[in-house]
Amino acid sequence: MKKMMTGNEAVARGAYEASVHFASAYPGTPSTEILENIATYKEIIAEWAPNEKVALEAVIGASFAGGRSLASMKHVGLNVAADPLFTFSYTGVNGGSVVISADEPGMYSSQNEQDNRNYAIHAKIPMLEPSNSQEAKDMMVDAFNISEEYNSVVLFRMTTRICHSKSIVELGERQEISPKPYERQLDTYVSVPRNARNNRHKVEDRMNRLQEYTETSKWNYTISHGSTVGVIASGMSVEFAKEALGETVDYLKLGFTNPLPKNLIQEFCDNHETVYIIEENDPYIENYAKTLGCEVIGKDLFPYTGEMTPDVIKRCVLSQQVEELEVPQDLIVPRPPTFCSGCPHRGFFYELGKKRKKIIVAGDIGCYSLAVGEPYRMMEWLICMGAAYSTAHGAQRIIDLKDDDDRRLVAVMGDSTFFHTGINSLLNTIYNGGNTINVILDNRITGMTGQQDNPGSGFTLQGGDAAIGDIEAICRALGVKHVRTINPNDLALVKETINWAMDLDETSVIITNWPCVLKKHYKDEDFEMYQDMWKTKDYVIEEKCTGCKACLRSGCPSLIFNPETKKTSIDPYTCVGCDVCAQICPYDAIQKEGYHE
């Protein structure tokens, strides 16, 4: 049977056909949908983990116990998981194991553009790179065979365009493979120096054997059109090059890319007068080819950043400019990313903005990072997940050394980020006697990546009930003496709580607790805790509205200002009755409308 699938859906199907037993991940674009689709296969235990390191560690345990296991993450997630990955390379596997890295050339939703192919070289593990959905499914099946044959975790490198674009996939049957017996292997799995030194030699032997494999791998092959010009590419760049250059050139398509096939590359270069190496991000293949003495054209012609889309390739190789549709710029309405209507983060950032000259705000990764934009302009830095508290602590240490600077550091992160690595970051502040104000914007869900459940939401990935992590209790258990949990839609309470924290000279934590308006699942106790949640709307009494625009400082997209009438109105279809704008209005022109079931 054939089916149209995204690359992420195809990977999930491949995991099913490969008889994967256990999968774990932390959501992150563009990899999120891999686990969401794996979760639909009830034959596979699929779990969200608090972070990528934990996900990989769970997968390692599943492999040692004999199960086929898989961890998926976006490219920066592999930085978090790098620690166990490098040791997993030494211990090897029992049940086959694969780590998926979804890289993002062009940085559409990420803080950097790193090329994770380098991790395969660094960790000394085999790597596969699909270039379409069919390959994503088929390679995933083969990845587990390679993993078990060569006793190594396999890096499966995707990119955004493969993850999210669709192509036809021929489905296969599921292999019925039972978990292998667990064997006690202290000399292998216990990675103390004595054992690690022995395993180090096994790693080198494995890479030598893989060097022979890569020359004959079915994923590395030549496509000949009788041209004197050749293109070497891997992953999505293969498809881009085919679309741009068609049958005017020959191709060396590489799908198994660590180790790279020395003889294939050398032979291809020897047989062509001109060879282009087209690849996104780093000159991974180009540098290798040059070490072989091959004369190739790579990053000296193609841009070092972004996707190598057909228009880019045509511009670089053929000096062709692709015709683009001209859109009248005056018709484009500028729409910077912003919080949703009724987002519980609005009230907090509105009040925090009043302290602008007295504070410095350290940001983190999540919906709340949108506070960097208008009208808030609150974030002063943003590094990586879980870094807000620790960067704020370091900055506060320096600020406190200065006689002429008495500003306070306010560090913000969400509930999911707190569970990810924020706990460790907060513990560092407490342990070292810090005095920062640490905020947990708890909206009961992992919002930015698409409403995935987490240890605070009460549900597992596959829909089961779960224990709810008590964030306030965790903070107190870490040693925080000053903790308050508040409703962020109550502006008077938010103001009073910020002032309370500003007056303290010890570590404090403010937890703003109100659900994301897009949250998918609720329990009965949620409706008891958050009374009248989303059951009312607000409206403007036009006679009272003076057009002062004070309400617009909430930044809510449901508020519409008419420049002709100089009055504000509220979109009834998007308003969820959070009442933040009503509390801001100085003329009581915004009132609560009736009760909606």
Side-chain angles (χ1 to χ4, degrees):
M1 185 176 75
K2 293 182 179 179
K3 191 173 181 180
M4 188 73 83
M5 286 181 150
T6 65
N8 283 348
E9 291 170 334
V11 163
R13 176 69 190 191
Y16 165 77
E17 292 183 11
S19 196
V20 167
H21 304 102
F22 178 82
S24 184
Y26 183 82
T29 305
S31 69
T32 305
E33 299 85 3
I34 293 173
L35 252 287
E36 288 180 330
N37 281 283
I38 286 178
T40 65
Y41 297 104
K42 301 307 178 187
E43 296 84 353
I44 305 174
I45 301 169
E47 297 180 351
W48 291 130
N51 64 45
E52 297 84 357
K53 177 174 180 286
V54 172
L56 180 54
E57 288 163 348
V59 159
I60 291 171
S63 172
F64 286 172
R68 287 191 162 191
S69 58
L70 173 157
S72 72
M73 58 201 70
K74 67 181 297 176
H75 60 298
V76 292
L78 196 51
N79 300 334
V80 183
D83 193 4
L85 175 68
F86 280 70
T87 303
F88 197 20
S89 169
Y90 276 39
T91 62
V93 305
N94 185 18
S97 193
V98 172
V99 174
I100 302 170
S101 169
D103 293 7
E104 195 176 32
M107 299 174 283
Y108 301 108
S109 63
S110 303
Q111 63 269 45
N112 69 34
E113 195 184 34
Q114 68 192 49
D115 189 332
N116 279 5
R117 292 179 297 178
N118 297 299
Y119 266 112
I121 294 178
H122 199 183
K124 298 179 181 292
I125 56 177
M127 174 169 59
L128 287 163
E129 290 187 76
S131 61
N132 54 51
S133 296
Q134 182 70 60
E135 282 194 347
K137 195 271 291 182
D138 293 341
M139 278 189 180
M140 181 53 59
V141 176
D142 204 33
F144 284 93
N145 299 329
I146 294 170
S147 174
E148 292 177 354
E149 181 175 351
Y150 290 90
N151 191 23
S152 173
V153 59
V154 173
L155 184 64
F156 198 88
R157 194 249 191 176
M158 308 266 286
T159 56
T160 307
R161 196 67 60 166
I162 303 167
C163 290
H164 291 161
S165 61
K166 286 196 171 189
S167 58
I168 295 174
V169 178
E170 178 77 42
L171 304 184
E173 298 295 324
R174 173 177 164 83
Q175 305 172 20
E176 294 298 338
I177 300 174
S178 299
K180 294 180 177 179
Y182 170 68
E183 296 180 12
R184 197 164 183 254
Q185 299 184 58
L186 302 184
D187 291 345
T188 300
Y189 295 156
V190 181
S191 200
V192 295
R194 183 192 63 184
N195 297 335
R197 290 189 194 103
N198 291 331
N199 287 336
R200 177 76 175 83
H201 298 297
K202 296 176 183 176
V203 169
E204 289 304 312
D205 176 67
R206 178 178 73 212
M207 295 309 294
N208 289 333
R209 291 189 293 123
L210 283 166
Q211 189 64 59
E212 298 176 10
Y213 169 82
T214 191
E215 299 289 352
T216 57
S217 169
K218 63 182 179 183
W219 305 116
N220 297 333
Y221 56 89
T222 301
I223 303 171
S224 179
H225 298 113
S227 176
T228 58
V229 179
V231 168
I232 303 176
S234 65
M236 197 66 206
S237 295
V238 177
E239 301 299 322
F240 286 149
K242 286 180 179 177
E243 186 173 336
L245 306 175
E247 297 183 357
T248 63
V249 300
D250 293 348
Y251 299 92
L252 175 56
K253 182 193 177 306
L254 301 179
F256 186 88
T257 49
N258 192 50
L260 285 162
K262 174 183 175 181
N263 295 332
L264 276 178
I265 292 173
Q266 183 79 67
E267 183 180 350
F268 187 81
C269 291
D270 290 344
N271 292 335
H272 291 84
E273 295 177 4
T274 304
V275 174
Y276 296 101
I277 295 185
I278 301 175
E279 53 190 333
E280 294 165 335
N281 293 354
D282 293 346
Y284 176 85
I285 303 170
E286 178 187 345
N287 286 346
Y288 182 77
K290 287 180 175 176
T291 64
L292 301 177
C294 300
E295 292 187 7
V296 297
I297 301 170
K299 291 299 180 185
D300 48 349
L301 178 65
F302 300 100
Y304 62 85
T305 185
E307 294 183 292
M308 294 300 107
T309 50
D311 59 314
V312 173
I313 296 171
K314 286 182 178 178
R315 185 173 68 245
C316 294
V317 177
L318 306 176
S319 299
Q320 289 182 2
Q321 291 292 338
V322 176
E323 290 187 12
E324 297 178 351
L325 290 175
E326 290 189 9
V327 179
Q329 295 300 305
D330 58 336
L331 296 181
I332 298 175
V333 179
R335 289 196 179 95
T338 185
F339 295 124
C340 302
S341 297
C343 175
H345 304 334
R346 289 188 181 286
F348 177 78
F349 282 112
Y350 173 79
E351 287 297 334
L352 191 64
K354 295 178 179 177
K355 305 289 184 184
R356 197 178 303 273
K357 294 182 179 178
K358 298 181 180 178
I359 61 170
I360 298 171
V361 178
D364 217 291
I365 307 287
C367 288
Y368 40 88
S369 60
L370 296 172
V372 73
E374 297 291 353
Y376 313 104
R377 304 290 291 171
M378 293 305 299
M379 300 289 176
E380 305 204 21
W381 60 72
L382 184 156
I383 303 299
C384 64
M385 293 195 73
Y389 298 160
S390 39
T391 55
H393 172 69
Q396 188 73 71
R397 283 293 195 224
I398 301 305
I399 293 289
D400 289 349
L401 295 175
K402 302 175 182 178
D403 294 333
D404 59 347
D405 195 341
D406 61 353
R407 286 176 294 175
R408 297 294 304 278
L409 265 292
V410 179
V412 298
M413 67 172 64
D415 49 321
S416 185
T417 315
F418 178 72
F419 291 122
H420 182 275
T421 42
I423 293 175
N424 314 54
S425 187
L426 180 60
L427 185 59
N428 175 66
T429 302
I430 299 161
Y431 172 67
N432 289 295
N435 57 346
T436 52
I437 300 167
N438 304 279
V439 182
I440 302 168
L441 299 158
D442 179 11
N443 63 359
R444 318 306 298 162
I445 202 73
T446 307
M448 181 165 269
T449 49
Q451 315 304 308
Q452 288 76 36
D453 287 296
N454 65 47
S457 71
F459 297 93
T460 67
L461 170 58
Q462 293 181 303
D465 286 336
I468 298 177
D470 186 332
I471 294 177
E472 181 169 334
I474 292 171
C475 292
R476 293 189 186 281
L478 292 176
V480 184
K481 293 184 289 185
H482 309 288
V483 185
R484 281 193 181 183
T485 300
I486 61 171
N487 175 358
N489 295 328
D490 184 338
L491 297 188
L493 179 60
V494 172
K495 180 180 180 180
E496 190 275 328
T497 304
I498 292 173
N499 289 338
W500 161 80
M502 295 279 284
D503 289 339
L504 295 169
D505 194 29
E506 295 183 78
T507 307
S508 63
V509 172
I510 300 172
I511 304 168
T512 69
N513 182 282
W514 193 263
C516 171
V517 68
L518 301 176
K519 192 176 187 302
K520 293 182 295 188
H521 309 298
Y522 288 98
K523 295 187 173 182
D524 291 341
E525 49 264 45
D526 289 332
F527 292 101
E528 296 174 6
M529 181 181 299
Y530 310 107
Q531 293 184 355
D532 297 339
M533 179 174 58
W534 320 138
K535 292 185 176 180
T536 62
K537 294 182 183 295
D538 294 303
Y539 73 102
V540 177
I541 302 173
E542 190 171 326
E543 296 75 25
K544 286 189 173 184
C545 178
T546 66
C548 71
K549 300 183 182 179
C551 58
L552 301 184
R553 290 201 291 272
S554 72
C556 182
S558 291
L559 294 163
I560 304 165
F561 182 77
N562 187 326
E564 295 181 358
T565 63
K566 299 191 183 307
K567 303 283 186 182
T568 298
S569 61
I570 297 176
D571 180 357
Y573 299 104
T574 56
C575 175
V576 295
C578 70
D579 301 338
V580 167
C581 60
Q583 296 169 73
I584 295 173
C585 178
Y587 301 103
D588 292 329
I590 301 177
Q591 299 290 321
K592 184 180 288 295
E593 198 180 11
Y595 196 79
H596 304 271
E597 286 295 345

